[in-house]
């Protein structure tokens, strides 16, 4: 399949179309919203489901197979935010604190982008190593911490690290992901069989519903694009291509297959819009949410969902065929 | 029979729930009530985060404590966060509780 038809197939997949519908709903200002408790239930379902599936895959994997990718992912988690922080220097208008806040978001990762990528790759018969979820969990945290540390260089006060760490580590996204991994690891394939229908067969449908809501939320961010400026828009599209390529390369070098490396690329390219904003809001109130939320949710998330996912696959195929 | 107290109502981004609860108690309040809230401020500049919205914290305290709380809001909350607060006179029956 050539790159164009892969891209078209992704753009016409139900989750992506639901996202577009959400954008439209926001643009014409309908009163459509998922009720808050439903949103909470769906996000718990997605996090726990992904965690459990990853844990089952981990229980079937050899340590040697997983060790190197984990190490590579840790390195990515430390490098990507630093890279973002220094590249953002070219945007003269940004303060050090705003650059650090953005670095925290781009260093961390987006669960929904990851999930959409895995579902899409599997739909075009590209297999993805199940333990990639472990890498997702690992990539969530270090980027936020590195970003906060970089930002703190621009502050004339102490950052309340204790509160920030608690927020990052006890946030429910990381708790549910890690908890799910443990459940999956302990229950193994045999235990998983009983809940498989709920967490596998229904999964893409639930994700579609969730993306509808995210489309609405992202659509509401779009009005802030002008305020954020063209530099942020360029960064929100160009940076994922750089960090994503780094991610694919890391995947290939640490022994992941084409699908696994592409997925690590998507993980690395994606920006957080749940865990990072909460932590950044508490630790860096000086940073402007109009910049970091607009960039991660309004620009990078839609870009990755529509084009980033097929592009990472092509980069992965290209690097594989180039014998890297 | 009734005693005078101040009722402070603080509306703030939900992300700050734990921090505000701790701060209110450290200034001498003996308790508080938190409910979730939605609304619109004069700047319409909420963090716009995905979840949470706002919280509305209410606490009944002696006047002296109410001043301390307002002072704290002034220095640590108003400059950076979407935060509203107001004070009113109330009367209570059980003096030692508030």
């Amino acid at each position: 399949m050539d790159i164009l038809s892969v891209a078209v197939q992704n753009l016409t997949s139900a989750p992506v179309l639901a996202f577009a519908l959400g954008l439209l709903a926001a643009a014409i200002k309908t009163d459509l919203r998922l009720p808050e408790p439903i949103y909470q239930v769906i996000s718990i379902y997605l996090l726990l489901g992904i965690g459990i599936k990853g844990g089952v895959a981990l229980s079937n994997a050899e340590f040697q197979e997983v060790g190197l990718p984990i190490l590579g992912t840790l390195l990515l988690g430390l490098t990507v935010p630093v890279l973002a922080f220094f590249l953002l220097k070219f945007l003269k208008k940004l303060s050090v604190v705003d650059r650090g806040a953005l670095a925290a978001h781009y260093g961390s990762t987006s669960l929904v982008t990851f999930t959409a990528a895995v579902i899409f790759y599997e739909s075009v018969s590209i297999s993805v190593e199940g333990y990639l979820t472990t890498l997702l969990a690992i990539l969530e945290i270090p980027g936020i911490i590195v970003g906060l540390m970089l930002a703190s260089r621009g502050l004339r006060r102490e950052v309340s690290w204790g509160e920030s760490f608690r927020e990052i580590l006890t946030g429910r996204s990381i708790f549910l992901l890690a908890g799910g991994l443990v459940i999956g690891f302990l229950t193994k394939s045999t235990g998983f069989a009983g809940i498989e229908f709920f967490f596998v067969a229904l999964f893409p449908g639930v994700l579609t519903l969730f993306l509808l809501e995210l489309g609405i939320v992202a659509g509401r961010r779009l009005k802030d694009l002008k305020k954020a400026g063209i530099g942020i828009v360029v960064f929100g599209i160009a940076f994922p291509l750089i960090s994503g390529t780094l991610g694919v390369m890391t995947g290939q070098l640490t022994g992941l297959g084409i699908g696994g490396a592409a997925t690590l690329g998507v993980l690395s390219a994606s920006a957080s819009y749940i865990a990072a904003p909460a932590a950044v809001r508490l630790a860096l109130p000086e940073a402007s949410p109009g910049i970091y939320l607009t960039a991660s949710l309004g620009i990078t998330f839609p870009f990755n969902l529509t084009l980033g996912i097929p592009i990472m696959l092509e980069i992965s195929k290209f690097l594989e065929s180039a014998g890297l | 029979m009734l005693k005078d107290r101040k009722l402070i109502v603080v509306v703030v981004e939900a992300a700050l729930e734990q921090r505000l609860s701790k701060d209110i108690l450290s200034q001498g309040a003996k308790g508080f009530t938190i409910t979730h809230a939605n609304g619109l401020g004069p700047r319409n500049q909420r963090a716009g985060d995905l979840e949470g919205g706002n919280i509305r914290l209410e606490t009944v305290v002696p006047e002296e404590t109410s001043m301390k709380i307002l002072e704290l809001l002034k220095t640590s909350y108003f400059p950076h966060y979407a935060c509203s607060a107001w004070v009113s006179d109330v009367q209570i029956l059980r003096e030692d509780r508030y």
Side-chain angles (χ1 to χ4, degrees):
Chain A
M1 223 181 328
D2 62 273
I3 182 163
L4 199 66
S5 62
V6 171
V8 168
Q9 190 162 353
N10 185 44
L11 286 171
T12 54
S13 70
V16 174
L17 288 174
F19 181 77
L21 188 65
L23 287 178
L24 179 69
I28 63 171
K29 298 202 167 68
T30 64
D31 58 355
L32 178 67
R33 276 316 281 269
L34 277 193
E36 172 74 16
I38 306 272
Y39 172 84
Q40 302 287 359
V41 170
I42 292 185
S43 77
I44 291 171
Y45 168 87
L46 293 175
L47 286 159
L48 194 64
I50 290 170
I52 294 178
K53 271 182 273 180
V56 173
L58 207 55
S59 74
N60 295 328
E62 300 287 327
F63 177 74
Q64 300 96 294
E65 191 187 343
V66 195
L68 264 183
I70 288 183
L71 201 66
T73 305
L74 268 176
L75 278 177
L76 269 180
L78 300 175
T79 327
V80 169
V82 176
L83 190 63
F85 186 76
F86 284 104
L87 285 177
L88 282 165
K89 231 180 182 166
F90 291 104
L91 297 182
K92 298 269 185 272
K93 270 195 321 199
L94 286 185
S95 68
V96 171
V97 178
D98 278 325
R99 280 163 54 202
L102 279 166
H105 285 73
Y106 284 82
S108 186
T109 186
S110 148
L111 168 108
V112 179
T113 316
F114 165 80
T115 313
V118 172
I119 288 180
F120 176 69
Y121 292 159
E122 284 172 353
S123 78
V124 292
S125 310
I126 302 278
S127 69
V128 174
E129 290 87 342
Y131 57 79
L132 257 284
T133 311
T134 318
L135 307 186
L136 164 75
I138 291 171
L139 204 54
E140 281 250 341
I141 294 178
I144 303 181
I145 296 172
V146 173
L148 293 184
M149 284 177 160
L150 291 169
S152 68
R153 306 198 313 184
L155 293 175
R156 279 192 222 107
R157 59 168 177 86
E158 282 292 305
V159 173
S160 52
W161 289 111
E163 188 186 33
S164 304
F165 279 122
R166 207 169 43 247
E167 172 69 27
I168 297 168
L169 296 174
T170 62
R172 62 153 178 215
S173 59
I174 202 66
F175 181 82
L176 281 168
L177 263 184
L181 279 169
V182 173
I183 293 177
F185 190 75
L186 294 177
T187 198
K188 304 206 172 66
S189 309
T190 35
F192 188 57
I195 53 171
E196 195 166 350
F197 175 76
F198 184 65
F199 280 115
V200 176
L202 298 181
F203 203 85
V206 176
L207 179 72
T208 305
L209 200 57
F210 197 70
L211 277 171
L212 176 67
E213 167 75 8
L214 277 186
I216 300 168
V217 180
R220 294 185 172 184
R221 278 275 137 207
L222 291 180
K223 65 173 167 35
D224 290 338
L225 276 188
K226 248 198 206 144
K227 230 184 293 169
I230 182 77
I232 290 293
V233 178
V234 172
F235 175 80
I237 292 173
F239 189 73
L241 292 174
I242 299 170
S243 57
T245 306
L246 268 180
V248 177
M249 282 161 73
T250 308
Q252 301 249 350
L253 288 173
T254 56
L256 294 176
I258 290 183
T263 308
L264 187 56
V266 169
L267 275 177
S268 176
S270 67
S272 166
Y273 46 80
I274 296 178
V280 166
R281 195 71 189 124
L282 285 173
L284 306 172
E286 297 89 345
S288 159
I291 292 176
Y292 58 72
L293 265 181
T294 306
S296 74
L297 190 57
I299 303 166
T300 301
F301 178 65
F303 171 73
N304 280 330
L305 191 65
T306 51
L307 299 174
I309 290 174
I311 289 174
M312 289 308 139
L313 181 59
E314 289 308 313
I315 293 178
S316 184
K317 282 182 185 164
F318 172 77
L319 288 180
E320 176 82 11
S321 66
L324 291 166
Chain B
M1 184 166 84
L2 293 176
K3 301 281 187 262
D4 289 334
R5 287 291 186 274
K6 297 287 181 191
L7 164 69
I8 299 196
V9 179
V10 186
V11 178
V12 73
E13 299 167 34
L16 293 161
E17 179 170 338
Q18 290 192 1
R19 185 188 289 180
L20 181 66
S21 310
K22 228 169 74 187
D23 283 350
I24 293 277
L25 292 179
S26 74
Q27 297 308 306
K30 292 184 184 164
F32 53 81
T33 302
I34 288 180
T35 42
H36 288 271
N38 287 307
L40 184 69
R43 292 183 299 168
N44 190 16
Q45 265 187 351
R46 285 220 43 262
D49 47 358
L50 272 176
E51 24 195 335
N54 297 321
I55 55 153
R56 175 191 166 110
L57 180 144
E58 296 173 67
T59 181
V60 174
V61 291
E63 183 166 5
E64 190 195 332
T65 310
S66 74
M67 286 301 135
K68 281 206 233 162
I69 292 176
L70 287 178
E71 196 55 43
L72 180 86
L73 292 176
K74 198 170 123 189
T75 52
S76 315
Y77 288 77
F78 292 153
H80 299 301
Y81 297 107
C83 182
S84 259
W86 54 92
V87 183
S88 47
D89 295 323
V90 288
Q91 276 135 23
I92 47 101
L93 184 63
R94 296 168 295 174
E95 196 175 0
D96 53 335
R97 270 180 71 93
Y98 303 98

